Amino acid sequence: MTPASEPRWLTEAEQDAWYAWRRMFPLVNAEIARDLSQDSGLSEADYDVLSVLGSTEGHRMRISALAELMRWSRSRLSHQLTRMEQRGIVRREEVATDGRGAEVVLTETGVAAITDAAPLHVESVRRHLIDILTPAQLQALAEVGEVLRHRFGAARKGRD
Amino acid sequence: MTPASEPRWLTEAEQDAWYAWRRMFPLVNAEIARDLSQDSGLSEADYDVLSVLGSTEGHRMRISALAELMRWSRSRLSHQLTRMEQRGIVRREEVATDGRGAEVVLTETGVAAITDAAPLHVESVRRHLIDILTPAQLQALAEVGEVLRHRFGAARKGRD
DNA sequence: GTTATGTGAGTGACGTGTCAACCAGGTAGA
DNA sequence: TCTACCTGGTTGACACGTCACTCACATAAC
């Protein structure tokens, strides 16, 4: 906070890490997103929502619970659900116990979508990331992720 | 492509790496973007464009060259420049040698913006990423980035 | 020179995400 | 009960990125 007269610019090694960081995520994610879209007609956001709902009993969940589990803002989830609802892969339902509340439910189309998409998606993730890296590199990624998660106080470890 | 009867699901170690991958980037970038916006009123996209232009002679560059250097689509850059131009931090100029061509130029406001923003941005990057990780972890990130860059044929290594 | 093709750049529609505002329904205190 | 506040959820405006399309100018073929 003191107006540093000399900012601590990055060393070369730090720059390498920073540039790698900036580049690799868009690079890999764009490939995986492209595959997902072509193979299954889904966006990554669609897939994330579907995969969570696909593994709950009744294929349904309270909207606020879903948002919290995914660490999405309510607003973001609401917009996303609106788009997904228009395409018929999820449906909103009022909940009896709380006049304000609502649930999302997978439609049959939605169940089929995630069932069909999952194997292809795994292959894509392998092809563009997992199978490219050595076990040591994968472990390093997991470790860095762990450090950062702690740093940012994102407690939960569960699945996506 | 053969309809795999049994998809190769991820092992636990692979899942750890994959989930870490999915989480870390948004987590860290959101923090850095927030800092940038609060400290300097710039988006990351703004900053990227400004920082490239800030280190060219004349603070100007041919639009297509800028797009290629940044690995952005022309369209993306065009939209971005439109927004930046409206805020007065860059200006478009026609180029004499080619009736189709155009250049972007930093305005005085733009020069001031990047000059003021850079030190704060470095601090932010340190705070949210670089200073948190060990040299070994930074090196691991750089290494992974290198592997992926090769895999995706993104040849150039230069700066952002 | 005229025509075909290529290239630099901008545009429009749409999906996505953020923020701030809003609204309806709950809850608690007077 | 009335009021104040909280909470679940939606909405609108806007920033950003992609894709497909367009338009103007350049270049090469004839």
Side-chain angles (χ1 to χ4, degrees), chain A residues 133-146:
Chain A
L133 300 176
T134 66
Q137 290 167 336
L138 292 176
Q139 214 230 300
L141 280 181
E143 182 189 318
V144 169
E146 195 63 26

Side-chain angles (χ1 to χ4, degrees), chain B residues 132-150:
Chain B
I132 297 174
L133 300 175
T134 66
Q137 289 167 337
L138 291 176
Q139 214 229 301
L141 280 181
E143 182 188 317
V144 169
E146 195 63 27
V147 172
L148 294 175
R149 180 155 56 241
H150 281 140

Side-chain angles (χ1 to χ4, degrees), chain A residues 69-158:
Chain A
L69 179 62
M70 300 182 70
R71 305 178 173 287
W72 281 20
S73 71
R74 288 190 212 292
S75 166
R76 175 181 180 184
L77 182 55
S78 184
H79 283 303
Q80 179 67 30
L81 291 180
T82 299
R83 291 185 293 261
M84 293 175 78
E85 197 169 20
Q86 279 163 359
R87 288 158 48 212
I89 56 186
V90 299
R91 188 179 355 110
R92 280 187 243 238
E93 286 184 7
E94 294 173 6
V95 59
T97 57
D98 188 332
R100 300 163 296 185
E103 285 184 333
V104 219
V105 196
L106 281 190
T107 63
E108 265 189 46
T109 316
V111 176
I114 185 59
T115 306
D116 293 349
L120 299 169
H121 186 245
V122 178
E123 282 305 322
S124 174
V125 168
R126 286 197 168 281
R127 197 163 51 246
H128 297 306
L129 182 70
I130 301 295
D131 287 353
I132 297 173
L133 300 176
T134 66
Q137 290 167 336
L138 292 176
Q139 214 230 300
L141 280 181
E143 182 189 318
V144 169
E146 195 63 26
V147 172
L148 294 175
R149 180 155 56 239
H150 280 140
R151 170 61 171 74
F152 287 95
R156 180 149 353 147
K157 176 155 184 210

